[in-house]
Amino acid sequence: MANSRFEYVKQFEQSDSLLPNTWIVIRVDGRGFTKLCAKYKFEKPNDRRALDLMNNAAKAVMAELPDITIAYGVSDEYSFVLHKTCTLFERRASKLITTIASTFTSYYIHLWSTYFPDTPLSPPLPSFDGRAVCYPSVQNLRDYMSWRQADCHINNLFNTTFWSLIQLGGLDAKEAEKLLAGTLSADKNEILFSRFKINYNNEPEMYKKGSVIFREYELVEPGSHNVAETIDDVAEPVKQSKTQDENDRKRRNKARLVINHLDIIKDDFWDRRPWLLS
Ligand code: ATP
Ligand code: ATP
Ligand code: MG
Ligand code: MG
Ligand code: MG
Ligand code: MG
Ligand code: MG
């Protein structure tokens, strides 16, 4: 009931609406996943099932929230980009962060058995923290995305070399760490190749580049399985106009979501998909 003598407590709530007309990035990150990896015996350095699970939980979040224009995931984290014109929850940070983190967590748990059919979950259950950051320019946003993908590359090269030394080279964790201390990328590539005949370039794209999810406007033959590769070939630059912007907004709800493992640091990815940042 309104107007009770208790209602004044509502005024203690603080406004937390995020700066208008800025790109909002909400990043969720698995809580204590170092432990969780050990508990469920994730393959090191990359457990494909766990990455597929992350990707499909993120895809489900995007399907429920059309304001998300693109998402990027690596390891136990996912970054969701809300369009700068987004007005969901009056841009209140706590609402946006908790909705995305809890929707993501729900799907992660819901989909778990699809990817780990023989390993049931038990408490403590997986959970994800979240944070929001506003980026005022497309360049800032692109630099954010580049930062995460560069981080993915650096970590994956390190982890691939580290775990090769252990799994194939018979070193223990301390020895591997010591051997890698102070090494540059070129040194790690060299260790991988000379010791284990591993060409880092041939490692799976998902491990090297992480995963990007976005809305694709060009329709592909239904039933086509390898959507990721096919889609990239058919995406053509599109000229944008005011009415087209309006149409895009409507179509965003209908557009299909694709998961891909492309370079998002270079211009090409963005140049070919102008609707993502317009
Ligand atoms: P925090 O709660 O502070 O985030 P954390 O243990 O989750 O703690 P992170 O920095 O987020 O720490 O690191 C996540 C860990 O989970 C890393 O060690 C990463 O290698 C591991 N990890 C995440 N996903 C996978 C995967 N698919 N396969 C193997 N290891 C993974
Ligand atoms: P929002 O997303 O803005 O929170 P909402 O529809 O969830 O929208 P609330 O103000 O949170 O709106 O109201 C929750 C509604 O759910 C209320 O109408 C409440 O009566 C109903 N509800 C919640 N729990 C129960 C329950 N256990 N039994 C019956 N009704 C419930
Ligand atoms: Mg964290
Ligand atoms: Mg974590
Ligand atoms: Mg992490
Ligand atoms: Mg309520
Ligand atoms: Mg409610």
Side-chain angles (χ1 to χ4, degrees), residues 110-233:
H110 176 64
L111 295 170
W112 175 271
S113 63
T114 306
Y115 298 94
F116 292 92
D118 307 318
T119 320
L121 280 173
S122 62
L125 296 171
S127 59
F128 292 82
D129 68 33
R131 75 194 66 190
V133 183
C134 294
Y135 292 104
S137 69
V138 164
Q139 189 58 56
N140 293 151
L141 176 67
R142 284 221 16 212
D143 287 344
Y144 171 83
M145 301 295 267
S146 300
W147 173 51
R148 294 328 295 147
Q149 191 166 54
D151 202 58
C152 169
H153 166 73
I154 292 163
N155 288 333
N156 191 57
L157 178 58
F158 178 90
N159 290 337
T160 304
T161 317
F162 178 81
W163 285 100
S164 296
L165 287 167
I166 292 171
Q167 292 163 348
L168 307 171
L171 272 62
D172 67 29
K174 260 208 176 127
E175 292 166 335
E177 202 150 340
K178 205 173 151 201
L179 194 137
L180 290 177
T183 55
L184 305 174
S185 290
D187 304 320
K188 294 185 190 77
N189 276 294
E190 181 57 28
I191 291 170
L192 280 173
F193 195 71
S194 62
R195 293 203 187 199
F196 310 115
K197 295 280 166 288
I198 293 171
N199 183 343
Y200 183 76
N201 290 330
N202 297 337
E203 288 293 294
E205 293 299 307
M206 179 159 71
Y207 303 167
K208 289 186 297 181
K209 297 205 171 70
S211 301
V212 202
I213 310 179
F214 53 90
R215 294 171 210 284
E216 195 62 277
Y217 284 44
E218 303 288 342
L219 291 178
V220 180
E221 284 295 306
S224 153
H225 222 68
N226 204 347
V227 174
E229 261 105 40
T230 331
I231 282 288
D232 191 40
D233 297 334

Side-chain angles (χ1 to χ4, degrees), residues 6-271:
F6 307 118
E7 202 176 271
Y8 77 96
V9 295
K10 180 87 179 143
Q11 289 160 22
F12 284 62
E13 272 187 32
Q14 305 226 276
S15 147
D16 65 347
S17 71
L18 295 165
L19 198 65
N21 204 36
T22 55
W23 299 89
I24 301 169
V25 174
I26 296 189
R27 182 168 76 252
V28 299
D29 182 283
R31 181 165 171 247
F33 265 47
T34 309
K35 267 194 175 165
L36 189 128
C37 290
K39 179 178 171 184
Y40 296 106
K41 303 192 169 56
F42 282 14
E43 283 159 32
K44 284 291 178 180
N46 291 292
D47 189 303
R48 180 172 284 274
R49 300 163 301 174
L51 293 172
D52 287 339
L53 173 55
M54 289 290 293
N55 288 341
N56 283 284
K59 197 176 172 188
V61 170
M62 284 186 75
E64 289 201 6
L65 297 162
D67 292 275
I68 300 170
T69 170
I70 187 167
Y72 175 74
V74 49
S75 180
D76 69 339
E77 70 170 61
Y78 240 98
S79 298
F80 297 92
V81 179
L82 295 164
H83 199 270
K84 64 177 179 167
T85 60
C86 168
T87 53
L88 184 63
F89 302 129
E90 284 84 47
R91 299 171 73 89
R92 289 164 65 186
S94 55
K95 289 261 191 181
L96 292 169
I97 297 165
T98 55
T99 298
I100 288 181
S102 67
T103 307
F104 187 88
T105 302
S106 298
Y107 278 104
Y108 190 91
I109 288 171
H110 176 64
L111 295 170
W112 175 271
S113 63
T114 306
Y115 298 94
F116 292 92
D118 307 318
T119 320
L121 280 173
S122 62
L125 296 171
S127 59
F128 292 82
D129 68 33
R131 75 194 66 190
V133 183
C134 294
Y135 292 104
S137 69
V138 164
Q139 189 58 56
N140 293 151
L141 176 67
R142 284 221 16 212
D143 287 344
Y144 171 83
M145 301 295 267
S146 300
W147 173 51
R148 294 328 295 147
Q149 191 166 54
D151 202 58
C152 169
H153 166 73
I154 292 163
N155 288 333
N156 191 57
L157 178 58
F158 178 90
N159 290 337
T160 304
T161 317
F162 178 81
W163 285 100
S164 296
L165 287 167
I166 292 171
Q167 292 163 348
L168 307 171
L171 272 62
D172 67 29
K174 260 208 176 127
E175 292 166 335
E177 202 150 340
K178 205 173 151 201
L179 194 137
L180 290 177
T183 55
L184 305 174
S185 290
D187 304 320
K188 294 185 190 77
N189 276 294
E190 181 57 28
I191 291 170
L192 280 173
F193 195 71
S194 62
R195 293 203 187 199
F196 310 115
K197 295 280 166 288
I198 293 171
N199 183 343
Y200 183 76
N201 290 330
N202 297 337
E203 288 293 294
E205 293 299 307
M206 179 159 71
Y207 303 167
K208 289 186 297 181
K209 297 205 171 70
S211 301
V212 202
I213 310 179
F214 53 90
R215 294 171 210 284
E216 195 62 277
Y217 284 44
E218 303 288 342
L219 291 178
V220 180
E221 284 295 306
S224 153
H225 222 68
N226 204 347
V227 174
E229 261 105 40
T230 331
I231 282 288
D232 191 40
D233 297 334
V234 296
E236 292 293 331
V238 179
K239 276 207 194 99
Q240 295 288 123
S241 70
K242 271 267 160 69
T243 38
Q244 226 163 347
D245 282 353
E246 269 301 304
N247 290 341
D248 279 357
R249 208 123 302 158
K250 285 176 193 155
R251 288 166 71 195
R252 204 178 283 157
N253 292 303
K254 290 192 202 152
R256 63 200 275 104
L257 287 163
V258 297
I259 302 179
N260 219 318
H261 315 289
L262 297 166
D263 186 319
I264 56 168
I265 297 176
K266 295 199 191 94
D267 292 337
D268 185 64
F269 172 84
W270 306 98
D271 287 350

